[in-house]
Amino acid sequence: MDSAERLRIREWAVEDRPREKTLLKGISSLSNAELLAILIGSGNTHETAVQLSQRILNSVSNNLNALGKMSVKELMTFNGIGEAKAIAIVAAMELARRRGEADPLQRASIRSSEQVFQLFYPLLCDLPHEEFWIAMTNRSGKVIEKVKISQGGTSEATVDLRLILKAAINTLCSGLLLCHNHPSGTLKPSRQDDALTFDVQKAAQLLGIRLLDHLILCDNKYYSYADEGRLQV
């Protein structure tokens, strides 16, 4: 293909560019050639990164196991693949191999306020300012993800309900845990704490998500809305 006729990747439709396609449709939507193209970043004067990647894959009959056995020197025989790109491909193949050998990560399962406390305490125990965190759980009570929603001063952190709901929706969670610290040393919830807790519970219920607890931490102690019977069943 003549270089004048060849479209550069940046000239493709947004949904067809590997990086943009990843953001729009998820990494699983990419072909093997597109994944490889992200690793090498650019092609040569006659091929885009995707076209070059397709040629590399064709040389091993589109077999990823065979690609993983190629050496840096073998990869460098392709026009447009220098030492840095070849090493990047080899490194990616090695990561894939090691992932296959690794044991699946066991997620923590939350069954009590004490477990919620242990989940968040390392994040909040020594902070001189207030932070608000959430954790999302699946139907088995296992934690999917933890997210810091806001950070404030010594007495208050402003929390946007929409950010909590966005994080919950993005993870497709079934349960939601709230937690924030009180650097002042008092465990007593404020009126703002109460209002936020009940607002989150009502909004989450509309999405089919259950608010499991809201903990307030200070020093080595905690206050649990669930333990105090303040969450509507």
Side-chain angles (χ1 to χ4, degrees), residues 158-177:
T158 302
V159 180
D160 191 331
L161 176 61
R162 293 169 296 182
L163 294 179
I164 297 174
L165 298 177
K166 180 176 182 292
I169 292 170
N170 286 344
T171 58
L172 299 176
C173 68
S174 297
L176 189 59
L177 296 162

Side-chain angles (χ1 to χ4, degrees), residues 123-131 133 181 183:
L123 300 170
L124 299 168
C125 62
D126 296 322
L127 297 180
H129 58 270
E130 189 170 306
E131 288 188 0
W133 285 72
N181 62 319

Side-chain angles (χ1 to χ4, degrees), residues 108 110 115-116 119-120 123 132-138 141-149 164 167-168 171 173-180 200 209-214:
I110 303 298
Q115 290 176 309
V116 180
L119 179 68
F120 287 109
L123 300 170
F132 191 97
W133 285 72
I134 65 172
M136 285 69 70
T137 66
N138 62 18
K142 293 185 177 181
V143 175
I144 301 170
E145 187 177 351
K146 292 179 291 186
V147 177
K148 182 170 77 171
I149 296 298
I164 297 174
T171 58
C173 68
S174 297
L176 189 59
L177 296 162
L178 313 180
C179 187
H180 75 281
V200 170
I209 300 170
R210 184 183 173 197
L211 178 60
L212 302 172
D213 206 347
H214 181 182

Side-chain angles (χ1 to χ4, degrees), residues 4-31:
E5 298 175 352
R6 179 177 56 85
L7 281 175
R8 296 181 182 275
I9 286 181
R10 64 174 177 269
E11 296 172 325
W12 296 5
V14 170
E15 63 271 18
D16 291 330
R17 303 175 201 165
R19 291 187 181 89
E20 287 81 355
K21 186 176 177 180
T22 299
L23 295 175
L24 287 172
K25 301 180 180 179
I27 195 70
S28 61
S29 69
L30 270 62
S31 66

Side-chain angles (χ1 to χ4, degrees), residues 3-200:
S3 58
E5 298 175 352
R6 179 177 56 85
L7 281 175
R8 296 181 182 275
I9 286 181
R10 64 174 177 269
E11 296 172 325
W12 296 5
V14 170
E15 63 271 18
D16 291 330
R17 303 175 201 165
R19 291 187 181 89
E20 287 81 355
K21 186 176 177 180
T22 299
L23 295 175
L24 287 172
K25 301 180 180 179
I27 195 70
S28 61
S29 69
L30 270 62
S31 66
N32 290 340
E34 289 170 328
L35 290 170
L36 189 56
I38 288 179
L39 286 175
I40 66 176
S42 60
N44 53 47
T45 56
H46 301 291
E47 298 170 302
T48 65
V50 173
Q51 291 167 337
L52 175 55
S53 297
Q54 288 171 334
R55 188 158 60 87
I56 294 171
L57 287 168
N58 286 337
S59 74
V60 291
S61 301
N62 293 298
N63 188 298
L64 292 180
N65 286 325
L67 177 65
K69 294 177 182 178
M70 293 186 74
S71 67
V72 169
K73 287 186 178 180
E74 288 174 326
L75 288 166
M76 288 176 63
T77 61
F78 291 89
N79 181 25
I81 301 296
E83 184 176 73
K85 292 180 181 181
I87 290 174
I89 295 171
V90 170
M93 295 295 105
E94 177 62 15
L95 274 176
R97 185 188 67 79
R98 295 184 187 184
R99 180 188 179 187
E101 295 177 349
D103 294 328
L105 182 64
Q106 296 298 315
R107 294 172 174 170
S109 184
I110 303 298
R111 300 296 181 190
S112 67
S113 59
E114 175 64 26
Q115 290 176 309
V116 180
F117 173 73
Q118 295 298 333
L119 179 68
F120 287 109
Y121 184 73
L123 300 170
L124 299 168
C125 62
D126 296 322
L127 297 180
H129 58 270
E130 189 170 306
E131 288 188 0
F132 191 97
W133 285 72
I134 65 172
M136 285 69 70
T137 66
N138 62 18
R139 292 187 181 277
S140 300
K142 293 185 177 181
V143 175
I144 301 170
E145 187 177 351
K146 292 179 291 186
V147 177
K148 182 170 77 171
I149 296 298
S150 68
Q151 176 177 319
T154 57
S155 60
E156 186 179 354
T158 302
V159 180
D160 191 331
L161 176 61
R162 293 169 296 182
L163 294 179
I164 297 174
L165 298 177
K166 180 176 182 292
I169 292 170
N170 286 344
T171 58
L172 299 176
C173 68
S174 297
L176 189 59
L177 296 162
L178 313 180
C179 187
H180 75 281
N181 62 319
H182 277 181
S184 63
T186 178
L187 282 175
K188 183 179 180 180
S190 67
R191 284 177 299 197
Q192 291 87 350
D193 292 337
D194 288 346
L196 176 65
T197 302
F198 304 137
D199 285 347
V200 170

